[in-house]
Each structure stands twice: as C-alpha cells, then as structure tokens.
Amino acid sequence: MILYATKKTIERYKLKMPDELLPETLMLAHAIIKRDTGSMLREWGIKLFYFDGRKCLQAVNFASKFTLFLFDLKMADLENIGTQMAQYMFDLYADDAEMIRCLIRMIKQDQFVAFAPLKNRNIISTLNHTQSDYAFDGARFWDYIENGILHTREINRDVNFNYLFTYAAVGLKDYYYPAELFRELVVKVYGGC
C-alpha cells in the first residue's frame, strides 16, 4: 500500500520519502511503489489536520474516495498506520462476513506501507473538500463527543455510509457512498474469499 502524503504532512511528521531511506528499507519501499502504483485500490492520499490541538490524519482511497479520519496521531504512530487503518475497516464492515474475508486477503498482501509525495490533484481536491465540506475544518467533530469521549467509529461510519461523494465522467455527475464502492472494488479484486 502506498500512502501519498501532502507536503505539510511530510514535514510535520518528518516522513522519510523512498530516496531518504536506508538501503535495506529503500529496496522494500521501491518494490511496494513499483507493485502498487496504478493500482488505485492500494493507493491512498493522506493529509494532516488538527482537531482540538491534536495532530490527526485524513486518508482517502484513490479508487473509491473511502475516507478514514485518524485522531491524535503521534510521530511514532505512523509506523503502524496500516494497522490502524485496517482496524477501522474491520470495524466498519464488521457485519459483512464476505467483506471481512476479502479485507483479510487484501491486508495480507499489503503488510508494508510506503510513503510518497502526493501529486494527484484530484485526491488533493477530495482531501480538501472532505475536510471543509464534511468536517467543517474539524468543527463537525465536536458533535461526536459524548461524555468527553470522541466517537471516531461513528465519524468514519458517517463519512463513508452517509455522506455522498461525486463521480464525474463524460460530463455527467453521479453521486455515491464511498463504503459501497470500496466494498464493491475490494470484493471484485480479492473475491472468491
């Protein structure tokens, strides 16, 4: 899996790009990038944002615009970001046995994560619009605090199952829920689960 990060995210988290890695990890990063480039299901854009003074990340899947908000991430947490993303995916599809089996297959293939700079303008636009239009630059997340606890599962469920994204093709605009398209694509690629 490739996580394409915005410039601000790279700087704030001091992410090492492939050419800055040690030789033993450089080969692994290049292999992941070579394998996953162009496989939009395994490509994600990530962007730093702040909520209540804490560093957080928004991750958007290139193929489906499936979105995850990860809260209060420290620099050391980025080593396990793939695991954190997987936990949210398992939680969101907990009632869907077929999808869980397919997610397990997908995650087994994507055990390692490589970081690269985000240059895809479409994904940058999606990250920006989701942050401003859905999250209201973080202000919306106050609605998900109950008894002093931020309910991140509900945030990720709502953005993927209840918030419409747009798809434009041949001058036509269509709307869809990212969770439905993500499921369709994962089952198609990792089907026969």
Side-chain angles (χ1 to χ4, degrees), residues 18 21 24-34 113-115:
L21 297 172
E24 54 273 9
T25 52
L26 174 66
M27 289 176 51
L28 178 61
H30 278 299
I32 291 168
I33 290 170
K34 182 178 180 183
V113 171
F115 292 100

Side-chain angles (χ1 to χ4, degrees), residues 2 9 30 78 87 90 114 119-120 124 151 159-160 168 185:
I2 306 171
T9 306
H30 278 299
L78 269 319
Q87 288 171 340
F90 285 127
K119 296 179 180 166
N120 183 315
I124 292 169
H151 293 267
V159 73
N160 288 296
L185 295 172

Side-chain angles (χ1 to χ4, degrees), residues 75-95:
M75 288 174 66
D77 295 332
L78 269 319
E79 293 176 19
N80 299 314
I81 191 169
T83 302
Q84 291 179 20
M85 290 171 66
Q87 288 171 340
Y88 276 115
M89 287 182 226
F90 285 127
D91 180 64
L92 291 172
Y93 294 100
D95 297 333

Side-chain angles (χ1 to χ4, degrees), residues 65-122:
K65 296 185 183 176
F66 183 81
T67 301
L68 294 173
F69 288 103
L70 304 147
F71 293 87
D72 200 18
L73 288 177
K74 312 286 186 275
M75 288 174 66
D77 295 332
L78 269 319
E79 293 176 19
N80 299 314
I81 191 169
T83 302
Q84 291 179 20
M85 290 171 66
Q87 288 171 340
Y88 276 115
M89 287 182 226
F90 285 127
D91 180 64
L92 291 172
Y93 294 100
D95 297 333
D96 185 340
E98 180 183 29
M99 182 61 167
I100 293 295
R101 286 190 299 273
C102 292
L103 283 171
I104 290 169
R105 283 184 73 189
M106 181 176 91
I107 290 164
K108 281 183 181 178
Q109 287 186 6
D110 292 334
Q111 291 180 14
F112 299 101
V113 171
F115 292 100
L118 178 60
K119 296 179 180 166
N120 183 315
R121 290 179 187 212
N122 197 15

